Each structure stands twice: as C-alpha cells, then as structure tokens.
RNA sequence: GGGCGAAUAGCUCAGCUGGUUCAGAGCGCCUGCCUUACACGCAGGAUGUCGGGGGUUCGAAUCCCUCUUCGCCCACCA
C-alpha cells in the first residue's frame, strides 16, 4: 500500500492480479437488494478466438454493467458460449481432413465425440480471453447452448411450438450449401451483388414452327426444366399457351403454361420453369402440376436425372457445357452482362444452390406480429433508432424459418418416425422415444439437428432455468439491455424478442444497443481472411486492457463504426495508454503529498468548510460537479465516448493541468491551506476515478485502493456512483477562474510569440476593474507563478512597447518588453491583431445595424452582442494608439 | 428495385433542441522546454469555401429541397 509507485504505469504488472482479486471477492455476481439489471452476453462460438469485434462488444457491455453496478443495481451480466453448429463442425472437419478423412469416414457417433473432445479442450479459451479485457460477467452462471439444461429448453420449445401448429415439416425449395451439405435459413444465405451474365436461350416449338426465347442466369438448370411460363394476357404468347416446346440438350417435350407470376415486361416475357431449383418456379410448378426434376446432387454436381454426358459435372462446368451446346445448335440468342444478387453461405462463402427438400420450419408470422406491436407501442427501443427501421422491415417481410440442418453437431430434432410401413406414425416428444406409441414398433429419430440459432433465441430465459420456474428466472427475466453487433439483429436479437413474447409473455429486453463494426483505415471490416485484424490480446499485452477499452469507447459514437489502424497500433492505442499513465501520475502525485500531510487523511479527507476554499478550490469542485452530471447522463444515453471524453477533459485539462499546478505552493507548505488543497484534490480525484472506472477499470482500481482509509477489501467496482450535488455548482467560480486561465494563457502566448526565455520573468498589465479585478486579485499568485511574472498590475499600462492580447470578453492584456523586442515585428503583430478586431467589429456593427435582428432576436442575445461590440471597439482603438 | 444513413482540419471523428464552448478534439505537423507527478510529459502555434447548389430564418455546420459521392440493410424480375 505504501510502496513507492513507478513513474510509468505498467498495466501488465497489475491487471491479472486485480482481475483475480475481483473474482475471489465475487464482485461480478449480482448482489444486494437493488433493482435487477440484466445484460445477456451474445454467446461467442465455443471455438472462437477473441477478435476486435468481441473486444468492442464486450467492452461496451462491461462499461454498462460496471456503471449500473456502481449505481447500486443488482447487475447480472450473464455469459455463455454457443455450440455454433456449422462453424464448429467445419473446424473439426478440417482437423479430420488433415488425417485424410471426411466426417463420413469417421462416422456420426465418433465424429460428434471428436467435436466434444475438441470443444472441451479449447472451448473455454475465449472466456479466459474476455477476462483479460476486464469483462465483469458472472462466470459462475456461464452456460453452453448444448448443455443439459439448455437442451431441455430447446426440446420444450420445439415440441410446444409443434403442438401449437407453429413448427411443421414441409417440402420446399430451401437455401442449400453444397459445401456444408446442409439447408440454411434465409438469413444464413448472404446476398451479394455480383456481376454475372444472363443468357438468352431459344427453345424450339415441338412442331418445329418457330421458337420461344427464355432468359436465365443459371443455364445449367435448364436440364431440369419442365415448362415455359408466360403471362396469361401477353398477346405475343397467348396463342402458344398449351402447346409444347422441345427442350434442347435434353430433348424433352415441355408445355407452355400461363401464370400471373410472370412479368411480361422483363426479358422476352417467357420464363423457363425449373420447379426443383428455383423457389418461384416451384410455385409455378405446383400451380400447374408440373413434375420436379432434381438435376443436382447434394454437392451441386449434375445428377443421374440429366443426360449421361453431364452427370457428375460441377454445376459451373455444366453451365459452360450447356451454353456451348446451345451455341453449337444456333440456339444461343445473346449473352448480356447482368448484375444480380447471389446467395452465399454465411459460414463458408460457397454459392448457395436453391434445392428442393423436406425440412422443418417455424411459422413466423404469428410470432412476428406481437414483436412488431411491441416496437410500435414504444416498449422496445433501438439505439441508434434507425435500427428500428431494419427491424420493422424484416418483420413485415418475414418468411418461415427453416430450422433443420443436415449436420451432426447440434440439438437432434426430437422427432421419431415409426419404421413400420402400415403405421408410419411421426412422434414429436419432449423425452426420447424408444418405441412407436401407436404400434409399439421400432422408431428412428430424425437424422437432422436444429439451427444453432434455435437454441440461442431462447437464451434470455433458457439460461435462467426455463422451462422450470426457477428463482433466477423470476428475478432476472425480463432483462433490460442487449448489446449486439448489427449483423446479428435478425439471426438473434429479433428472434429473441419473438421467443420471449411467445414463451414468457414479455420482451426479453427493452433497450437494444447495436454498436458499430470495427474497421481498418480503409473502412474494411476487420477479418482474418483480409489479414487486417488486430489481436486484442496483443494490444492488452503492449498497451493494457484500459488502453484497449478507452480506444474502442472513445472511437465510437452511438452506432458508428470504430476505425483502427492495423499497421499502426501506436496511432490507435497510444492515447489510451497515455491517459492511463497520466492518471497514474496524477494519482501518484496526490498520494505522495498525502504522505507528507501532517495527519493522515483517514477515509474521507477532513471535512472542509466552504469558507476555507480558494477560488481555485471552488472552481475544481464546480468542474467536478459538472463532470459528474455530464458523464452520468452520457452513460445513461449509451454515449460512452462522451462519458469518457468528459472525464478525460476533467482529469487532464482541469485537474492535472490547472488544479494540481495551482495547489503546489500550498502542498509544499509555501503558503497555508495545504490540508484544504489535499482534501479537495483527493475528493475530486476520487470522483473522477469512479466516473472513469466503467471504461478503465484496472488503473482506476489500482489507484483508488491506494488512498488512505480504504478497507483492504474495498473495491471501486462497487463504490457508490458519484451523485450530483447542487451545492457544488458555482457559476461564479467557473467564470472567475476561467478569466484567470485566459489571462495566463494570453501572457504565455505573448511570451512564446516574442521568444521570451523560459526562465525569464516579465511584468504584465491586465486592464480590468470591478468583479473581474477582484477575481484576478484572489488568484494573483497563481497568475504570477504560472505565467512567470515578476509583477502583475491590474490596470492600464502607460507603456507602449510590448505584447498585446485581447480576451474574448474584451479584456486587454499587455506585457511590456522594453528594448528587448523587435519593433518591426511588434508593429506587424499589432496590425494583425487590430485587423482581426476590425473584422469582428465590422460584422458586429452589421449585425446590430440590422433592424430585424434587433427587433426579433431575444433581448439577452442582442444585449450580449452589444457588449461585445463595445469591448472590441475600445480595444481596437488602444491597439491603434500603441501602433503609432 | 425498396428502405435507411453519412459527407466538417492531412488522418479518425465530435458538434444533441438553429444564437457563448461554433468553427472543435485526438493523432499528425511546426516552435520552445529533461519546470523535483508524468518526455506516454509541459507551454505555444499553423491548418477548414462544415461535399455542390437552392430555400426557410433577424441569424444555418445545424432545419427543408435538390444534385454528387460513399456506406448499410432488405429484395424469387427469370
């Protein structure tokens, strides 16, 4: 506690020890009797390694958690990890591939065991990494989306939705990833604008009397065409409806049908219909009883349903071959460039293939309706608000959610099919089914697993024990704030609202804060594949967790992206490190002076009476008060950068640059009042540490604990949040000390301008009277010392030669410099200064000469402008006289 | 194609309900300082048609319209 502190703050020497101490003390578990405040951590993938996006997301959550904890709320920040179906399976598949095997070689059971082994070994790494950045989550409650409790919740949700008719099995076109070999939801198929081509193909009429031209971006699908559709009212084709075409390449006769879905204005107005490979075509096929011919295998090669010469070809090779055959037959009308949106697998980037298959779906419209209503009635708040538009748009256009995945890693679908041919009953059950409940025959469980998001959308209550009615569930549901990346608004955030309303009857959160994305200086998203990432742990090692957090927080206003430079860590993180160091040294200085206080300041420094305070004391107390208000309001409004900025300015510009400099004579015993200065410095510094703790938890704790009178077990992380105190407001002190600062600044500027040696003292005149003079008189010694004066004269100067400055309120400052100065230089400076004032005066006269302004603007505004004009005019005259 | 947002110093961005923080901060740049808390520091300084054009207003970086350029979300015109 009393060992001397190093002049340079060394984060790595203290951070892990402090974190361990917080954990030992159990400070991150909810405690006390305050109103609960719940933040649900977006569960990172088990196999994830901490990246800057996690850094940002968890820093924001931690700032809010720590802020509310200090405000006395019973904070539960609930962490967990996500089994992340496809992502995790892919990782282990790659490991298996190194042994030259596929998952099919390994077999389902053994493969799942491998995944478990992998997850058990490396799965919690990210949690350790989150601790390195200071995350104050309640790790004792950490869940895993595949553990027993959450698995039970998943079954309960599936079965009860099924019983309500909201889960169904359907035969539809879904998004299929030919590399992951699974169905995907619409959200998992990322649309990307792509420059492609559109081929215009001629299909001859079967009777040889001409042809119909169709356009397609995927010519290979023509192998599965079973019709051509035209609009029923399209005069060009009306006479052809009902006739047949001879499909080239495959030589199949297909009908021409009329369907309203066809847009006669697009292309030729005739559409090839491939019911097995296009959702719109599927619908047309259904309306016209067309056969569906699936011409592709699961890995997107041409299937046995196509002519021999195409079988086994990759879909893109087949595309080339089909086009070539059309061209050779003279049936390729034209090829045009075509920009369109192409779906890609969100996990591996492979082009999605629309595929006809049997899948499980959730009927979304009944869930979406109340979720929309809760936004429209003002229950839900999005920060920033515009994210609410995205939410509404998505819900209004919602389509059913395909939840089955042809994977092995995940929650097995709780459906059993009777193997007996005459029974064939389907059983959907909360518990495992051994035999068919109808006929007692053998059953086979559905092979598929559920979308990983089907477990995470339940997390706000499943992580608290649902479907059991646990005390945790009663206490901590619903929560308040969700902090999330905008990418998972639809995957997760919106769905949690729907599930919360459906299963719990209440929205899980009222405030959804969607922060920005971490990008590089070219505004590209940081990613491993682009190689533009910054490793947060490296930053923690080199600059400290506080520096990392400060940079992330200060670099982001509500909902904007955070830009970091991967090639220049110094540029990105030095500011935070420097700030931590500044704090460290300010704290070190104050502490070292407490040691030389005549009596140790126990606990709260000795009570100081208002009458004992100097102008500077009153000023820093008032500034501190303003900072409490500003920072608290900013945290409440999620304006974390403003909160950090307010405390930064207070600590650096006010406390360190001015107040600490001002009190040095008192501290050193050169003038009386040392104990008052110590008390005020200690008090205001303590408040600032508490205000900053949510953003920079480590350095603030390290310093805070060292102040005398703190019990060994006291932690700033549960210290009370500073309360606004109207008695500390002091506009007069703010104005008076502000004048002192301006006078000192003006004299310093003159000294620098005229190259006065740093050690040399000068005289200075300040032309003030009345209250302003009294204020300067009270801080005379401060001005003399900080501006390095031999004498301060409050009044006009008879001397002419020297440096002049005019403060914004019109106060003149003059520093006589005798023969030492360059007269020519001074003349030009005087000229420039008087020109500047002339400009101000001119525009001011114009403004005040405007009758409209004088009559319409508020009186106080006009009055202020008048005063400015008077002061500027006077000072300009003074300068002009001097110049002569 | 539909919806939404952004453009301010060399860079990254604040600037919220029009008028005292109105033209700002940090970084970078220039000058001078190892002043016994801190050179990861101190003091001083330079830099802007607030994207273009129009409008509302006594007054616009701020509100409205329009153009330009970027970005995000959504979308079965084959």
């Amino acid at each position: 506690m009393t060992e001397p502190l190093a002049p340079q703050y060394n984060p790595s020497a203290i951070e892990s020890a402090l974190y361990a101490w917080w954990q030992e003390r159990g400070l991150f578990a909810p405690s006390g009797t305050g109103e609960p405040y719940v933040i649900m951590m977006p569960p990172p993938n088990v196999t994830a390694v901490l990246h800057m996006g996690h850094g940002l997301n968890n820093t924001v959550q931690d700032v809010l958690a720590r802020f509310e904890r200090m405000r006395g709320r019973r904070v539960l920040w609930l962490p967990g990890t996500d089994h992340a179906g496809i992502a995790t399976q892919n990782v282990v598949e790659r490991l298996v591939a190194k042994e030259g095997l596929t998952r099919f070689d390994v077999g389902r059971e053994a493969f799942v065991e491998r995944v478990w082994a992998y997850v058990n070994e490396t799965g919690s790494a990210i949690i350790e990494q989150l601790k390195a950045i200071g995350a104050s989550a309640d790790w004792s409650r950490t869940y895993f989306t595949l553990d027993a409790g959450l698995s039970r919740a998943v079954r309960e949700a599936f079965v009860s939705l099924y019983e309500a008719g909201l889960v169904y099995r359907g035969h539809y076109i879904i998004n299929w990833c030919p590399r992951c070999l699974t169905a995907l939801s619409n959200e998992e198929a990322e649309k990307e604008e792509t420059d492609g081509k559109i081929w215009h193909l001629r299909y001859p009429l079967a009777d040889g009397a001409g042809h119909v031209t169709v356009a397609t971006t995927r010519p290979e699908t023509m192998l599965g065409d079973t019709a051509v559709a035209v609009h029923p009212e399209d005069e060009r084709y009306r006479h052809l409806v009902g006739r047949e075409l001879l499909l080239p390449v495959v030589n199949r006769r297909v009908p021409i049908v009329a369907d309203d879905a066809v847009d006669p204005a697009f292309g030729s107005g005739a559409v090839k219909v491939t019911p097995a490979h296009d959702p719109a075509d599927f619908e047309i096929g259904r309306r016209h009883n067309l056969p569906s011919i699936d011409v592709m295998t699961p890995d997107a090669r041409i299937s046995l349903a196509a002519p021999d010469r195409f079988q086994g070809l990759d879909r893109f090779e087949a595309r080339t071959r089909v086009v070539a055959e059309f061209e050779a037959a003279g049936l390729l009308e034209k090829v045009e460039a075509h920009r369109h949106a192409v779906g890609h697998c969100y996990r591996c980037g492979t082009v999605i293939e629309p595929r006809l298959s049997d899948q499980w779906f959730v009927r979304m419209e009944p869930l979406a309706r109340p979720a929309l209503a809760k936004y429209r009635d003002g229950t839900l708040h999005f920060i920033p608000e515009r994210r609410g538009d995205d939410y509404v748009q998505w819900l209004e256009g919602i389509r059913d959610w395909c939840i089955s995945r042809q994977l092995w890693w995940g929650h097995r679908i709780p459906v059993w099919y009777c193997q007996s041919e005459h029974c064939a009953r389907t059983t959907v059950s909360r518990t495992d089914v051994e035999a068919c409940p109808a006929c007692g025959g053998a059953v086979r469980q559905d092979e598929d697993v559920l979308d990983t998001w089907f477990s995470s959308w339940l997390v706000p209550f499943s992580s608290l024990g649902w479907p059991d009615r646990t005390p945790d569930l009663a206490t901590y549901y619903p929560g308040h704030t969700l902090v999330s990346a905008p990418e998972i608004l639809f995957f997760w955030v919106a769905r949690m609202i729907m599930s919360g309303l459906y299963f719990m009857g209440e929205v899980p959160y009222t405030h959804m804060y969607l922060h920005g994305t971490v990008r590089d200086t070219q505004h590209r998203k940081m990613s491993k594949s682009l190689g533009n990432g910054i490793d947060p742990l490296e930053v923690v090692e080199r600059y400290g967790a506080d520096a990392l957090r400060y940079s992330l927080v200060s670099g982001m206003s509500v909902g904007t992206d955070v830009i970091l430079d991967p090639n220049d860590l110094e540029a990105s993180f030095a500011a935070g490190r420097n700030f931590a160091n500044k704090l460290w040294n300010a704290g070190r200085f104050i502490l070292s002076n407490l040691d030389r206080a005549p009596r140790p300041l126990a606990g709260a420094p000795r009570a100081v009476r208002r009458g004992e305070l100097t102008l500077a004391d009153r000023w820093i107390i008032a500034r501190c008060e303003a900072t409490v208000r500003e920072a608290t309001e900013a945290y409440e409004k999620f304006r974390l950068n403003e909160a950090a900025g307010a405390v930064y300015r207070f600590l650096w510009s006010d406390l360190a640059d001015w107040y600490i400099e001002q009190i040095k004579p008192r501290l050193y015993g050169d003038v009386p009042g040392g104990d008052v200065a110590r008390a005020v410095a200690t008090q205001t510094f303590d408040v600032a540490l508490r205000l900053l703790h949510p953003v920079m938890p480590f350095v603030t704790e390290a310093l805070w604990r060292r102040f005398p009178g703190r019990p060994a077990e006291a932690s700033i992380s549960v210290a009370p949040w500073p309360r606004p105190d109207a008695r500390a407001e002091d506009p007069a002190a703010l104005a008076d000390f502000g004048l002192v600062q301006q006078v000192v600044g003006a004299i310093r500027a003159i000294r620098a301008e005229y190259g006065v040696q740093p050690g040399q003292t000068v005289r200075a005149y300040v032309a003030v009277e009345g209250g302003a003079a009294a204020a300067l008189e009270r801080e005379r010694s401060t001005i003399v010392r900080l501006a390095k004066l031999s004498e301060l004269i409050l009044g006009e100067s008879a001397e002419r030669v020297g440096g002049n400055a005019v403060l914004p309120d019109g106060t003149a400052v003059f520093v006589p410099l005798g023969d030492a100065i360059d007269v020519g230089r001074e003349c030009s400076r005087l000229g420039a200064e008087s020109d500047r004032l002339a400009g101000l005066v001119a525009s001011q006269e114009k403004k005040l000469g405007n009758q409209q302004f004088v009559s319409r603007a508020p009186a106080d505004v006009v009055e202020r402008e008048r005063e400015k004009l008077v002061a500027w005019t006077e000072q300009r005259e003074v300068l002009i006289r001097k110049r002569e």
Side-chain angles (χ1 to χ4, degrees), chain A residues 276-502:
Chain A
H277 293 279
D278 183 277
D281 293 4
F282 176 77
E283 295 301 330
I284 294 175
R286 179 177 272 191
R287 286 194 285 271
H288 299 273
N289 283 316
L290 299 172
S292 294
I293 302 176
D294 187 346
V295 295
M296 278 190 218
T297 58
D299 61 348
R301 291 177 177 278
I302 302 305
S303 75
L304 302 179
D308 294 356
R309 62 188 186 281
F310 289 96
Q311 289 172 16
L313 285 182
D314 173 83
R315 55 186 159 162
F316 300 115
E317 291 170 43
R319 178 174 300 177
T320 312
R321 293 278 288 273
V322 165
V323 171
E325 292 199 13
F326 269 87
E327 190 164 23
L331 296 172
L332 178 63
E333 190 168 297
K334 59 178 169 175
V335 185
E336 293 173 310
H338 186 65
R339 199 168 163 73
H340 61 139
V342 176
H344 293 76
C345 171
Y346 83 138
R347 282 303 167 201
C348 72
T350 302
V351 173
I352 294 297
E353 195 60 39
R355 184 158 195 251
L356 187 58
S357 65
D358 289 312
Q359 303 289 345
W360 288 92
F361 295 87
V362 178
R363 208 179 298 286
M364 296 304 277
E365 199 278 334
L367 299 176
R369 218 178 316 118
L372 208 42
K374 281 294 174 189
Y375 176 72
R376 296 209 161 117
D377 73 10
T379 306
L380 293 171
H381 303 273
F382 286 90
I383 301 108
E385 277 179 57
R386 69 186 141 83
R387 292 292 176 192
D389 296 336
D390 296 342
Y391 175 80
V392 167
Q393 197 179 28
W394 185 72
L395 285 175
E396 284 180 338
I398 200 153
R399 285 174 290 163
D400 286 355
W401 177 13
C402 174
I403 52 170
S404 44
R405 297 288 177 274
Q406 288 62 50
L407 303 172
W408 291 348
W409 177 243
H411 299 274
R412 191 89 175 254
I413 292 179
V415 174
W416 287 261
Y417 306 100
C418 178
Q419 295 299 85
S420 156
E421 277 178 28
H422 14 275
C423 177
R425 171 157 164 176
T426 295
T427 307
V428 177
S429 169
R430 288 173 175 79
T431 53
D432 285 358
V433 172
E434 305 297 339
C436 177
C439 71
V443 291
R444 183 182 50 82
Q445 186 172 4
D446 195 302
E447 294 293 325
D448 293 346
V449 300
L450 290 162
D451 182 1
T452 202
W453 300 100
F454 192 88
S455 57
S456 32
W457 81 324
L458 308 173
V459 145
F461 40 94
S462 65
S463 64
L464 297 171
W466 186 88
D468 292 337
R469 305 194 63 81
T470 61
D472 264 9
L473 187 63
T475 310
Y476 300 113
Y477 190 94
H480 297 81
T481 304
L482 180 77
V483 178
S484 159
E487 300 93 275
I488 56 176
L489 174 58
F490 306 137
F491 284 116
W492 193 52
V493 182
R495 285 181 183 149
M496 282 191 292
I497 293 165
M498 293 190 271
S499 71
L501 281 167
Y502 185 79

Side-chain angles (χ1 to χ4, degrees), chain A residues 246-264:
Chain A
L246 183 63
L247 202 56
V249 182
V250 296
N251 291 317
R252 181 162 61 234
R253 293 168 84 98
V254 299
I256 297 173
V257 299
D259 196 284
D260 286 334
V262 178
D263 176 2

